[in-house]
Amino acid sequence: LISIPGFPSWMPTYAVTDPNNGNAGVSSGLLNTDQFDNYAAFCASLVKILNVDQHRGIKYFELPNEQDGAYYVNFYNYNNSHTPAVADHLDELITIYNKAAQAMKAVDPSIQVGGPAFARGDLYDQVNRFVKGTISQKNPTTLDFLSMHGYASGDLNDSDYAIYNRIWNADSPTTNSLAKHTTDVRTILDQLSPKHHIPLWFDEYNISWGWWNNDPRMQN
């Protein structure tokens, strides 16, 4: 698996500002729309280098690694506490992904392309929209697998009991947990693509998303 974790630094990005305060931001790091084709070509060039020029036979490519944060989650968080609501830019991320996947497969039709490595797979609206926007692509299809990430906590003081219950809450299975979110996303995939099975990859997980707090449980 090769993961393409974001956009090259030389591709210009833009920010969305708070309509109530032009000095405050809602989200940033969104790829300029005139760079979509350049990004697709960039991803395709990686496939060419690895699989055509160097014959490495890489089968799986994942992109663009937790960019739902910039394109959806930041807007979701803002809209939970502000009015008027600011429309998210998830449709742009879907377009970027589709363009890149199609360009990559044009170089090597044998590869499997997936993503978007959701940081917040528990926000089911964005999962639904991403799946709908990618499985609609034909010749070639662009969503060979759906990927998501999940961590139990960001609080150094959370008990081991709380950590384990965040993964799977045996006392209350309907409570938010990584196991529940995984099951729910699997259901979304099966409902939206009943005739073609799309694998779900939970391919990044650990105790704490707060890498800055040096949780000893992450180190021993």
Side-chain angles (χ1 to χ4, degrees):
L1 169 70
I2 295 291
S3 181
I4 305 176
F7 310 125
S9 60
W10 47 265
M11 289 188 182
T13 60
Y14 71 97
V16 176
T17 58
D18 186 337
N20 299 305
N21 178 1
N23 294 320
V26 176
S27 191
S28 62
L30 289 81
L31 189 65
N32 282 14
T33 55
D34 62 1
Q35 296 296 310
F36 288 6
D37 289 338
N38 288 338
Y39 177 72
F42 168 81
C43 295
S45 69
L46 178 62
V47 176
K48 180 178 183 299
I49 291 168
L50 293 172
N51 282 2
V52 178
D53 299 342
Q54 298 182 358
H55 307 287
R56 293 184 180 273
I58 305 297
K59 182 175 182 180
Y60 299 105
F61 289 83
E62 178 189 53
L63 66 150
N65 193 59
E66 296 192 357
Q67 290 298 316
D68 59 311
Y71 284 87
Y72 185 92
V73 179
N74 289 346
F75 296 94
Y76 172 87
N77 291 336
Y78 175 87
N79 291 337
N80 276 340
S81 57
H82 295 79
T83 57
V86 177
D88 65 67
H89 287 227
L90 183 63
D91 288 347
E92 289 184 16
L93 184 63
I94 293 170
T95 298
I96 292 167
Y97 175 88
N98 283 333
K99 281 179 173 286
Q102 289 171 332
M104 295 163 74
K105 290 189 171 194
V107 173
D108 182 355
S110 73
I111 64 172
Q112 300 274 293
V113 181
F118 283 116
R120 292 291 305 274
D122 60 310
L123 299 181
Y124 301 142
D125 171 66
Q126 71 161 342
V127 175
N128 269 286
R129 287 168 55 192
F130 186 86
V131 174
K132 287 179 181 177
T134 52
I135 64 173
S136 62
Q137 302 300 303
K138 307 296 181 184
N139 301 319
T141 181
T142 61
L143 189 65
D144 294 311
F145 59 90
L146 187 79
S147 59
M148 60 188 284
H149 299 163
Y151 290 78
S153 173
D155 188 347
L156 181 63
N157 296 313
D158 271 348
S159 67
D160 291 352
Y161 181 82
I163 296 293
Y164 279 113
N165 277 352
R166 176 63 178 145
I167 305 304
W168 163 248
N169 193 324
D171 299 328
S172 180
T174 60
T175 300
N176 283 344
S177 69
L178 299 185
K180 179 182 185 302
H181 299 327
T182 304
T183 300
D184 291 344
V185 172
R186 177 70 262 164
T187 298
I188 290 171
L189 284 168
D190 292 341
Q191 290 176 341
L192 294 178
S193 183
K195 295 182 179 180
H196 174 66
H197 177 77
I198 299 172
L200 171 60
W201 289 14
F202 200 122
D203 59 356
E204 184 181 316
Y205 55 91
N206 215 311
I207 294 171
S208 177
W209 62 76
W211 64 88
W212 56 87
N213 62 26
N214 295 318
D215 190 328
R217 291 171 296 192
M218 298 276 285
Q219 303 173 29
N220 60 24

